[in-house]
Amino acid sequence: GLEVRVCQDKDCLLDGAKETLTLLQSMAAAGDDRITVVPCACLGPCGSGPTVDVRQDGIRVKDTREGQDNYFLFRKINSGKAVADMLTIAGVEPLDVIIAERDEFVVTSTREWYDLDRNSRITLQRILYSLIALPLLNARLNGTWDVIGGVVVPNSYYAIAAAIFIASQFMGTSQRSNAVEEEK
């Protein structure tokens, strides 16, 4: 049969994954026993959600829609048309419930300008590391390693670097911190 896994991590939820999961589950509940719909953890291309993994008898189905460059994951499944197209590519004709909701079902992203996707957060974190490492390297090469304002402060730069490194870990770059706890 057809297994449809819908990402339910932070970035995809901001892009409307919950609504996409609900639509697919309602279709499966409406009597289409050919399809199993399950939520899953992060599938990878954060910021391009909702992302869906489709497998026919355990074999991944390629996304052949125009403009998609990650052929093994369906990205931007954010409308009834996208769901219908995905199912058609997988070899399953969408039920009337999907066809009826095709034009009505549109997911609106709740992502704000400051809600960076996971890959952008990682990039910013790496830039922050570079901005800290370069002055530290320069201070070490110039012999001013422990001098701040003309006063020798032992291990001062180590403390500053450690504090910034620890603070940057709250940017949410790991899979675990990117996850959203399941509702009870």
Side-chain angles (χ1 to χ4, degrees), residues 24-35 95 97:
L24 285 163
Q25 286 175 332
S26 70
M27 187 191 93
D32 198 338
D33 57 359
R34 303 169 293 176
I35 300 174
L95 289 178
V97 93

Side-chain angles (χ1 to χ4, degrees), residues 8-152:
Q8 295 295 293
D9 266 6
K10 180 181 176 183
D11 285 321
C12 280
L13 286 174
L14 286 173
D15 291 333
K18 191 170 194 161
E19 293 83 359
T20 300
L21 177 67
T22 302
L23 177 67
L24 285 163
Q25 286 175 332
S26 70
M27 187 191 93
D32 198 338
D33 57 359
R34 303 169 293 176
I35 300 174
T36 303
V37 180
V38 294
C40 69
C42 185
L43 292 170
C46 299
S48 299
T51 304
V52 179
D53 180 27
V54 180
R55 295 173 189 246
Q56 181 74 39
D57 297 323
I59 300 171
R60 277 190 162 166
V61 176
K62 289 184 179 182
D63 184 358
T64 56
R65 294 177 298 159
E66 188 172 327
Q68 297 298 319
D69 60 356
N70 188 344
Y71 298 109
F72 289 106
L73 292 172
F74 287 81
R75 300 179 304 174
K76 299 218 180 269
I77 302 299
N78 55 7
S79 67
K81 180 181 181 336
V83 169
D85 290 348
M86 177 186 72
L87 293 174
T88 302
I89 290 169
V92 175
E93 282 303 313
L95 289 178
D96 293 339
V97 93
I98 294 293
I99 302 214
E101 292 182 10
R102 177 183 292 201
D103 297 326
E104 299 167 18
F105 177 77
V106 175
V107 174
T108 304
S109 176
T110 58
R111 188 180 296 277
E112 298 289 340
W113 66 270
Y114 53 82
D115 287 326
L116 299 176
D117 62 83
R118 181 173 178 263
N119 295 329
S120 297
R121 290 191 307 267
I122 289 171
T123 301
L124 284 176
Q125 190 179 45
R126 300 306 184 261
I127 290 170
L128 179 63
Y129 292 163
S130 297
L131 291 175
I132 297 306
L134 292 176
L136 290 178
L137 178 63
N138 185 42
R140 184 176 179 107
L141 293 175
N142 290 330
T144 57
W145 182 248
D146 289 327
V147 178
I148 297 179
V151 178
V152 176

